[in-house]
Amino acid sequence: MLRRTLVPLVLLAWSATAAVPTPKSYFGHELTDDGTVLDWDRVVGYFHALQKSSDRIRVEELGKSTEGRPFIAATIADPETLKHLDRYIAIQQKLADPRKTPQAEAEKLFLEGKAVVLVTCSIHATEIAATHTAVEFAYRILTDDTPHHRAILKDDIVLLVPSLNPDGVDIVTRWYRKTLGTPFEGTSPPELYHHYVGHDNNRDWYIFSQVETRLTISALHNVWHPEIVYDVHQQGANASRLFVPPWLDPAEPNIDPILMQEMNMYGTAIAADLTAAGKTGIAIHAIYDFWTPSRHYQAFHGGLRILTEAASVRIASPITLTPDQIATTALGYNPRERSWNYPEPWTGGTWRLKDIVDYETIAWDSLLYNAALHREELLRNFYRVGQRQVDRDKPWGFVISASQRDPGATRKLIETLRFGMVEVGRGADGSAVIPMHQPYGGWAKTLLEVQHYPNDLLYPGGPPKQPYDVTANTLPMLMGVETRAVDQPVPFSGEWKAASRVAGPTLPAADTDTWFTVNGAWKAGRAVWRDPATGDFSLGARAGWTEHKQPRIGLYQPWQANMDEGWTRWLLENFGFAYTGLRNADIQRGGLRQRFDAIIFADQTASNMQNGFNRDAMPEEYVGGLGTAGAAALKEFANAGGSLVFLNGASEYAIARLGVAARAVTPAREQSEVYYCPGSLLNMRVDTHSPLAYGVPAEIAGWIEHSPAWETQLPVVARYPESGVLASGWLVGEKVIAGRAAVVDAPLGAGHAVLFGMRPQYRAQSYLTFKMFFNALVR
Ligand SMILES: [Zn+2]
């Protein structure tokens, strides 16, 4: 600010911005004061106030969040640029598709265009500092005339999303204020900070199941084709102060090497600028790999992804670390030692919200300034990456045949590809044809092919090096859609249309479409009839068939916010099942059979179910688990004919607390050198005579993520083969689970306990095994 007084002319030129409200005047406190948090409506209001007082910013509501809050984006650039946004969008769209834009025209556009940078904040709502940084950055760039800011305004178009999760801002703010000054100040709320998916909201970026994901993709990525997407996060508190790329291996093989090099370059530029500004504790090439496409949409769409992960505080409460509280190990570096990728360790002290915002502000300025400096090369490389996609020769493409067991899942798969801008043609026989020579052919390939995750051990014979996320994303396997890669051209014309599927072969009854039909009937208060031999459904009564009304479903909702419970809710709601959420006390009260036919337990540990939060962790009303009374009530429910459905880790509860006779053959997670499956598709054989197998083929791939497998004499619904277990991703220790049970249907009293040693409703993706899950609810 001082420098303005030294340059009166500049002061004059910027006096038009005098009315821009400071964050302090608007929010009523210094933005980063300890113990203060922001309300979403105030953040939105601030951005609107900025728009009213400056011609360098435009604010747009893209739509509503899951809970109905405004979902906004700001566009920041020179006033001249903002007057011609349509022109800059057109340039981006031309450069994005080299088939339509010859090199000579592109050369002119490299000179005319702007570097488009999308900055997305606080998708994880407890990582609040990025929204603060958005406020701070917007204020500064509109008011603080520095050479860097001038360059950014002139050569960049900044698309700023102050929160990718507006509902979460208020969920965390509410909880923080409620617990401020109590022993629980700074804890995470005992509910998901996104209504359905909590922290998994940044694992949604190829299935696009949530409204916030869809708004961001459809209104920003797919319109603007940003050259850079910068996603601003926070990490644990006791190692580096800030991570910035380069990434760790492995990198997903379809990511263009140009983008990898640019991510290295911009990342290290940020690290250099932070270090030069006196900020210690900057780590590069650490912790975070670049494998799963669930976080990296833009890296498959011509742009680079920059991530920063700042050390967290306790929401807005400072922390103090002594040197001996700093971690001794981290993936890729030692937080206590100087190394090439961690050259100036942070040695402890007090760390507060303001520190995070200071670090992030420097990082934002650095990235945006470097984008401005390298504007022309960024655009040139963006175009070049598109050319390399279009020139791809192996495979020629993929074909999804018209004859599919599950037309509903097939349609969903094709619509998902198209939402990601993949062009899908129609073959002469009604098949869907996806040639690779298109700008996003690599994206389609990533989602359609088998993943071969490297066998990445810490040392030979040692434990596996933990991937940052899961290792497989083969949608045809997840959805049960037959897809084949072809090396020879397949003729196609026009666009594939869902209508062309109607003329297909007779559908097996228990497919996805039929589940929709069945649930539609239930919603309208009607019954359906089911053939007890085949599982086929009918909307009219038939001799010998069983009448089914909508099952009465209970869903256990622990106080320990559970993402898998959220995904389960999403699934039930999207497939038309009604359900009732059940807290510990609701179950302990008993009398469950009068109210429910089936009760679901999402993936969680048996000990969490039994014990819940302890007294040190949460206020009294959230303490405790199902306990002895809960287990007794669940036994009584099963004895009276109810079905208990346990997903993945929750299955252990059925064995430990309800006496289901199965023995886990999978070791504890600590023995990862013996057995390890961090999120992969594994082959299994299904007993098609089981009532849980209606609509499911005899051979499937199930989603296995630290899942148990069992030895048991009980009825087995799905079992691993003796060899060839891995279908896609990574598996260590195949022999541990070969031939063992993956899904068990245990009689329990007059009812059942179904143990899924998998996640049958995995992240809104596993359409094939959704059916086994639904079958477990309707019997
Ligand atoms: Zn995060």
Side-chain angles (χ1 to χ4, degrees):
M1 302 283 176
L2 261 181
R3 74 178 64 81
R4 282 199 222 158
T5 62
L6 304 174
V7 191
L9 277 178
V10 171
L11 179 64
L12 267 183
W14 284 73
S15 62
T17 63
V20 174
T22 64
K24 185 180 181 181
S25 71
Y26 183 85
F27 290 99
H29 55 81
E30 290 292 349
L31 184 64
T32 53
D33 274 350
D34 291 342
T36 62
V37 284
L38 306 179
D39 297 288
W40 181 244
D41 63 344
R42 299 289 291 155
V43 175
V44 172
Y46 185 69
F47 275 90
H48 285 306
L50 292 180
Q51 174 169 249
K52 279 196 192 117
S53 55
S54 170
D55 55 2
R56 296 177 176 84
I57 184 169
R58 280 191 195 172
V59 181
E60 193 188 350
E61 181 178 319
L62 306 181
K64 298 292 187 199
S65 68
T66 302
E67 294 178 7
R69 289 179 179 80
F71 189 89
I72 63 164
T75 309
I76 298 172
D78 263 350
E80 271 310 298
T81 306
L82 289 182
K83 277 183 204 152
H84 301 103
L85 288 184
D86 287 350
R87 173 61 187 157
Y88 292 106
I89 289 174
I91 291 172
Q92 291 294 108
Q93 295 186 346
K94 277 173 187 261
L95 292 178
D97 193 345
R99 297 170 305 178
K100 297 172 185 161
T101 312
Q103 186 81 35
E105 186 187 358
E107 292 290 341
K108 291 179 191 146
L109 299 178
F110 300 150
L111 300 177
E112 186 190 347
K114 306 290 183 189
V116 178
V117 186
L118 168 62
V119 185
T120 55
C121 300
S122 297
I123 188 169
H124 296 147
T126 48
E127 304 165 12
I128 65 169
T131 298
H132 289 69
T133 308
V135 168
E136 177 76 11
F137 167 80
Y139 172 72
R140 283 200 199 185
I141 197 156
L142 300 182
T143 58
D144 206 1
D145 181 35
T146 68
H148 277 50
H149 284 165
R150 262 181 260 159
I152 291 168
L153 290 166
K154 175 172 170 289
D155 285 320
D156 293 345
I157 294 172
V158 182
L159 308 171
L160 175 56
V161 180
S163 171
L164 277 175
N165 179 14
D167 300 336
V169 172
D170 286 343
I171 290 169
V172 171
T173 286
R174 194 165 58 221
W175 177 251
Y176 183 75
R177 289 190 185 135
K178 180 179 169 178
T179 52
L180 194 63
T182 77
F184 311 106
E185 175 180 325
T187 55
S188 290
E191 65 180 298
L192 294 171
Y193 54 59
H194 176 281
H195 181 72
Y196 292 110
V197 302
H199 194 88
D200 264 358
N201 57 355
N202 77 328
R203 306 304 204 274
D204 193 43
W205 296 76
Y206 64 81
I207 198 68
F208 317 121
S209 67
Q210 302 301 310
V211 62
E212 293 82 5
T213 319
R214 297 183 80 84
L215 286 172
T216 309
I217 297 281
S218 61
L220 297 173
H221 285 85
N222 289 355
V223 173
W224 275 104
H225 306 277
E227 275 83 22
I228 300 177
V229 175
Y230 173 19
D231 200 25
V232 190
H233 284 251
Q234 289 169 223
Q235 59 183 354
N238 67 344
S240 72
R241 296 303 88 190
L242 194 90
F243 161 83
V244 63
W247 308 92
L248 284 184
D249 280 325
E252 210 286 334
N254 295 297
I255 303 281
D256 193 294
I258 296 173
L259 297 179
M260 290 303 299
Q261 297 288 22
E262 286 186 318
M263 290 188 280
N264 295 344
M265 169 185 145
Y266 287 95
T268 47
I270 295 170
D273 286 340
L274 279 158
T275 305
K279 302 301 183 192
T280 61
I282 309 302
I284 62 171
H285 194 254
I287 313 272
Y288 307 94
D289 63 44
F290 211 64
W291 183 260
T292 175
S294 66
R295 305 193 305 273
H296 304 155
Y297 180 83
Q298 199 57 21
F300 296 88
H301 291 76
L304 41 137
R305 179 180 194 248
I306 296 294
L307 166 76
T308 55
E309 294 269 2
S312 290
V313 291
R314 294 176 304 123
I315 312 293
S317 303
I319 57 167
T320 300
L321 291 183
T322 58
D324 64 348
Q325 288 174 310
I326 293 174
T328 52
T329 57
L331 214 49
Y333 71 109
N334 179 337
R336 295 187 179 195
E337 279 180 19
R338 178 185 162 106
S339 60
W340 78 271
N341 59 336
Y342 193 60
E344 197 171 19
W346 187 75
T347 52
T350 298
W351 180 251
R352 42 181 27 111
L353 181 60
K354 182 173 190 317
D355 295 312
I356 305 177
V357 174
D358 285 350
Y359 273 59
E360 287 181 351
T361 302
I362 294 167
W364 291 34
D365 277 354
S366 170
L367 177 67
L368 294 168
Y369 178 61
N370 277 291
L373 276 185
H374 297 278
R375 182 197 58 82
E376 188 186 331
E377 290 84 351
L378 261 180
L379 297 188
R380 187 179 295 278
N381 288 341
F382 174 69
Y383 179 74
R384 184 79 190 111
V385 168
Q387 283 179 319
R388 284 150 65 118
Q389 291 290 319
V390 170
D391 290 346
R392 183 188 295 276
D393 56 0
K394 282 275 173 14
W396 177 87
F398 288 82
V399 174
I400 302 174
S401 73
S403 163
Q404 297 280 348
R405 172 181 277 269
D406 188 341
T410 306
R411 194 167 65 227
K412 178 69 189 170
L413 170 57
I414 293 169
E415 285 171 0
T416 300
L417 293 171
R418 281 174 147 183
F419 193 79
M421 303 202 84
V422 174
E423 295 163 12
V424 181
R426 185 179 191 280
D429 58 356
S431 57
V433 180
I434 304 157
M436 288 294 95
H437 49 272
Q438 54 173 308
Y440 312 119
W443 175 244
K445 180 169 174 285
T446 300
L447 298 180
L448 295 174
E449 71 187 2
V450 168
Q451 277 71 53
H452 301 282
Y453 193 89
N455 191 36
D456 204 0
L457 307 179
L458 282 171
Y459 50 86
K465 205 154 102 187
Q466 194 179 336
Y468 192 68
D469 198 50
V470 301
T471 63
N473 42 266
T474 313
L475 285 182
M477 286 183 185
L478 281 157
M479 293 185 157
V481 177
E482 281 171 35
T483 305
R484 65 181 201 281
V486 291
D487 285 334
Q488 296 303 316
V490 174
F492 65 94
S493 61
E495 284 188 16
W496 182 89
K497 285 194 176 57
S500 64
R501 310 282 310 114
V502 174
T506 312
L507 313 179
D511 62 36
T512 309
D513 278 349
T514 306
W515 273 110
F516 276 117
T517 313
V518 167
N519 286 312
W522 280 338
K523 264 187 172 171
R526 294 164 54 196
V528 298
W529 284 261
R530 195 170 203 186
D531 182 346
T534 66
D536 286 359
F537 284 106
S538 163
L539 296 183
R542 293 198 195 180
W545 288 34
T546 324
E547 184 179 346
H548 284 273
K549 295 197 169 64
Q550 161 99 289
R552 300 168 303 163
I553 296 168
L555 174 63
Y556 177 55
Q557 296 180 317
W559 290 118
Q560 289 159 319
N562 183 308
M563 286 182 280
D564 201 54
E565 181 271 331
W567 284 114
T568 309
R569 258 189 289 122
W570 180 91
L571 186 71
L572 293 173
E573 290 176 22
N574 278 271
F575 280 77
F577 285 91
Y579 65 90
T580 305
L582 296 175
R583 296 294 186 179
N584 294 316
D586 299 320
I587 290 178
Q588 288 160 346
R589 209 169 288 132
L592 296 165
R593 186 67 188 104
Q594 287 80 53
R595 298 174 59 203
F596 301 107
D597 302 306
I599 298 176
I600 305 164
F601 297 86
D603 186 16
Q604 60 205 298
T605 67
S607 70
N608 278 354
M609 290 167 68
Q610 175 71 8
N611 304 317
F613 278 124
N614 66 41
R615 284 209 154 63
D616 301 335
M618 274 284 140
E620 183 63 29
E621 66 255 48
Y622 307 108
V623 167
L626 289 167
T628 316
L634 292 172
K635 272 188 197 161
E636 177 193 276
F637 172 74
N639 284 337
S643 290
L644 296 168
V645 179
F646 297 94
L647 306 184
N648 213 33
S651 298
E652 171 60 22
Y653 183 90
I655 297 168
R657 299 285 164 186
L658 305 180
V660 169
R663 184 182 70 83
V665 295
T666 35
R669 275 218 211 178
E670 294 70 37
Q671 287 174 270
S672 58
E673 71 278 12
V674 176
Y675 175 78
Y676 187 66
C677 188
S680 304
L681 283 154
L682 300 190
N683 290 312
M684 39 188 82
R685 307 237 159 88
V686 175
D687 172 10
T688 52
H689 301 295
S690 161
L692 268 67
Y694 297 145
V696 179
E699 300 197 348
I700 65 167
W703 184 263
I704 302 304
E705 191 173 336
H706 307 292
S707 305
W710 301 285
E711 185 183 11
T712 183
Q713 301 304 312
L714 293 166
V716 172
V717 183
R719 188 185 288 284
Y720 292 109
E722 293 295 340
S723 63
V725 174
L726 179 63
S728 185
W730 191 23
L731 172 64
V732 173
E734 170 185 282
K735 63 179 186 307
V736 172
I737 59 168
R740 304 298 193 175
V743 180
V744 173
D745 183 12
L748 192 63
H752 298 87
V754 178
L755 280 59
F756 280 98
M758 62 158 90
R759 295 179 64 186
Q761 65 347 346
Y762 168 70
R763 285 179 177 165
Q765 297 172 29
S766 50
Y767 277 65
L768 176 56
T769 51
F770 286 176
K771 287 175 239 175
M772 294 173 82
F773 175 62
F774 294 155
N775 286 330
L777 305 177
V778 182
R779 56 192 303 166

